[in-house]
Amino acid sequence: VTSPDAVSTLTEALRKYQVNSVVCTLGFVPKFSGAGEDRLGMDAVDHRGVVALIEAAEAAHLAGRFVLVSSLLVPVLETSPGSDTIEAALGSWKPPNLSARMLNSLGGVVEAKAASEARLRASKTLDWTIIRPGVFVDSPQGGLIVGGAGRFTGESELDGRGLGHPVNQCKSPFFASSGAVCGITRAQLGEVCALVLTDPVASRNTLEVVARPDAASLAEGHLLTSAIRSQRKPYQNRPL
């Protein structure tokens, strides 16, 4: 995805294998060898690499859904980017709190993901869903809770609104814990990605996913996003 001919190569592959839907989990792993090198890597993979895959899916006339795995704390840009640079896409945005600053210190990952999210939202032909997990954990810490874009912020009062007592005993999805919600596993993320591929409510929607010990577990047939109509009220996964 970082080669000069990435778009044409990916387009050919999507057509050749008759790909119907795409789940994009691209992400650069920081090397911690220098902020400059990590920032270049994030730009190459989390921004330009993702954009190349989006453009290939458009060129291949993807019939299904493009699911982009992004991250909590990524801002929703007011307008689509007018340039291919992260700086132009973000404008004057700054990390609003400690959790966002800590995450973005990893090579500007929040900025890179915000720019690629904006490019996907600007697509006129793709059906898409953006999934935002936080820091992954090794073992499940409860059932999943889904909120709209910006629902979970790393701030205890905001994150815990409507969810009950604090859950300080679990591992947080943020570097600076809010004490209100827990992180999810990669396997739980996989379940979410599979479910949103066919969920009509997930179409052109951004979903933030966390866990809590008092939330029900996912079960086959549940519509994960059936209540994601209010950006402020999270949906605890329960049978319909």
Side-chain angles (χ1 to χ4, degrees), residues 113-160:
K113 289 184 180 297
S116 57
E117 279 193 13
R119 175 59 182 83
L120 182 58
R121 290 192 187 92
S123 177
K124 297 183 183 302
T125 59
L126 293 179
D127 183 15
W128 54 265
T129 302
I130 296 171
I131 304 295
R132 292 177 173 176
V135 177
F136 290 114
V137 298
D138 294 329
S139 57
Q141 302 186 96
L144 300 185
I145 296 177
V146 181
R151 172 59 182 85
F152 301 108
T153 65
E155 302 287 347
S156 57
E157 183 177 351
L158 293 174
D159 291 354

Side-chain angles (χ1 to χ4, degrees), residues 3-138:
S3 65
D5 60 346
V7 174
S8 60
T9 301
L10 290 168
T11 301
E12 182 181 351
L14 292 172
R15 289 172 174 165
K16 177 180 179 180
Y17 296 103
Q18 300 180 329
V19 174
N20 183 70
S21 294
V22 170
V23 177
C24 176
T25 62
L26 288 172
F28 177 76
V29 179
K31 299 181 182 301
F32 304 102
S33 57
E37 183 178 349
D38 283 345
R39 183 168 284 273
L40 289 174
M42 291 295 177
D43 182 39
V45 178
D46 291 68
H47 176 216
R48 297 179 188 276
V50 172
V51 169
L53 185 53
I54 292 169
E55 292 180 351
E58 290 173 331
H61 304 291
L62 191 76
R65 186 164 294 168
F66 191 107
V67 178
L68 173 62
V69 176
S70 184
S71 174
L72 294 177
L73 302 175
V74 171
V76 176
L77 304 183
E78 292 294 329
T79 58
S80 59
S83 169
D84 64 355
T85 67
I86 292 175
E87 290 76 16
L90 269 291
S92 60
W93 178 86
K94 299 294 182 185
N97 59 23
L98 179 59
S99 288
R101 289 194 296 273
M102 293 177 69
L103 180 60
N104 200 51
S105 69
L106 302 178
V109 61
V110 176
E111 301 170 35
K113 289 184 180 297
S116 57
E117 279 193 13
R119 175 59 182 83
L120 182 58
R121 290 192 187 92
S123 177
K124 297 183 183 302
T125 59
L126 293 179
D127 183 15
W128 54 265
T129 302
I130 296 171
I131 304 295
R132 292 177 173 176
V135 177
F136 290 114
V137 298
D138 294 329

